[in-house]
C-alpha cells in the first residue's frame, strides 16, 4: 500500500543524492585544479589550468589554499601568470582575495603583476583591478627600465619612449 506523500519523499531523496554528487564532483575538480596549480612551472601550464578550472572553483577555494604563494620560474607567482595570461576578473579577484599583497610582489625581473598585464593587452577592468590593489606599481620601472604604461604602449604597437 503506497502512502500519500511517499513519492514526494523519494523525489526529495533523489534530489539530495544529486546535490551530494554535484558537491563531490566540484570538490574533486577543486582539489585537482589546486594540485595542478602547485605543480605548474610555466605560464602556458598555468593558463591551461586556469581556463579549465570550473566556474567559481578558484574564487571559493584559492583563499583557503597555498597555491597563490607558489613561486614559479623567474620568481613569478600565480598572480603574475594570471595577469599575463589574460585571466578573467573572477580569477584575478580570487587571487587578490587570497593574498591582497600579491599585486605588490615583484618577480625576478622587477615586474609587478601590473607590468605583466600591461604587456599582454589587458582589458581596462583588469588594469583597474590591479591598479587598485597596488597603485604604486604604476610608477615602478622593471629591471629593463620599463613602466607598465610603456609596456602597454609597446604591446599595442605604439612607440615607447
Amino acid at each position: 500500500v503506497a502512502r500519500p506523500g511517499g513519492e514526494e519523499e523519494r523525489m526529495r531523496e533523489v534530489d539530495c543524492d544529486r546535490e551530494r554528487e554535484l558537491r563531490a564532483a566540484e570538490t574533486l575538480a577543486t582539489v585537482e585544479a589546486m594540485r595542478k596549480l602547485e605543480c605548474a612551472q610555466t605560464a602556458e601550464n598555468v593558463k591551461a589550468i586556469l581556463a579549465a578550472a570550473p566556474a567559481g572553483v578558484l574564487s571559493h577555494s584559492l583563499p583557503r589554499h597555498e597555491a597563490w604563494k607558489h613561486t614559479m620560474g623567474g620568481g613569478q607567482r600565480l598572480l603574475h601568470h594570471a595577469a599575463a595570461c589574460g585571466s578573467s576578473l573572477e580569477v584575478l579577484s580570487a587571487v587578490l582575495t587570497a593574498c591582497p599583497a600579491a599585486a605588490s610582489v615583484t618577480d625576478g625581473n622587477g615586474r609587478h603583476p601590473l607590468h605583466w598585464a600591461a604587456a599582454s593587452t589587458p582589458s581596462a577592468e583588469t588594469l583597474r583591478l590591479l591598479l587598485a590593489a597596488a597603485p604604486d606599481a604604476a610608477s615602478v620601472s622593471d629591471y629593463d627600465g620599463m613602466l607598465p604604461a610603456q609596456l602597454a604602449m609597446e604591446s599595442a604597437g605604439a612607440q615607447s619612449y
Side-chain angles (χ1 to χ4, degrees), residues 11-122:
M11 291 304 291
R12 274 194 298 262
E13 288 174 10
V14 168
D15 287 344
C16 285
D17 288 343
R18 283 187 195 138
E19 183 66 30
R20 276 190 286 265
E21 288 174 12
L22 287 173
R23 278 195 305 255
E26 184 177 281
T27 299
L28 207 57
T30 300
V31 168
E32 183 66 13
M34 294 297 111
R35 186 189 63 70
K36 286 179 180 178
L37 280 172
E38 286 182 331
C39 298
Q41 294 297 313
T42 66
E44 293 78 23
N45 288 347
V46 171
K47 183 176 182 178
I49 294 163
L50 294 175
V57 163
L58 291 175
S59 59
H60 291 98
S61 303
L62 198 55
R64 297 185 304 268
H65 203 275
E66 299 293 309
W68 61 268
K69 290 190 218 177
H70 182 65
T71 302
M72 297 166 218
Q76 299 160 351
R77 294 194 179 188
L78 182 58
L79 188 59
H80 289 92
H81 284 287
C85 296
S87 293
S88 69
L89 288 176
E90 179 187 31
V91 168
L92 295 171
S93 295
V95 177
L96 286 168
T97 298
C99 182
S104 298
V105 174
T106 57
D107 66 9
N109 294 314
R111 290 184 171 189
H112 290 86
L114 179 62
H115 287 85
W116 284 98
S120 65
T121 321

Side-chain angles (χ1 to χ4, degrees), residues 82-83 86-89 92 114 117-118 122-131:
S87 293
S88 69
L89 288 176
L92 295 171
L114 179 62
S123 68
E125 292 82 15
T126 295
L127 290 176
R128 277 192 212 95
L129 179 69
L130 292 171
L131 277 168

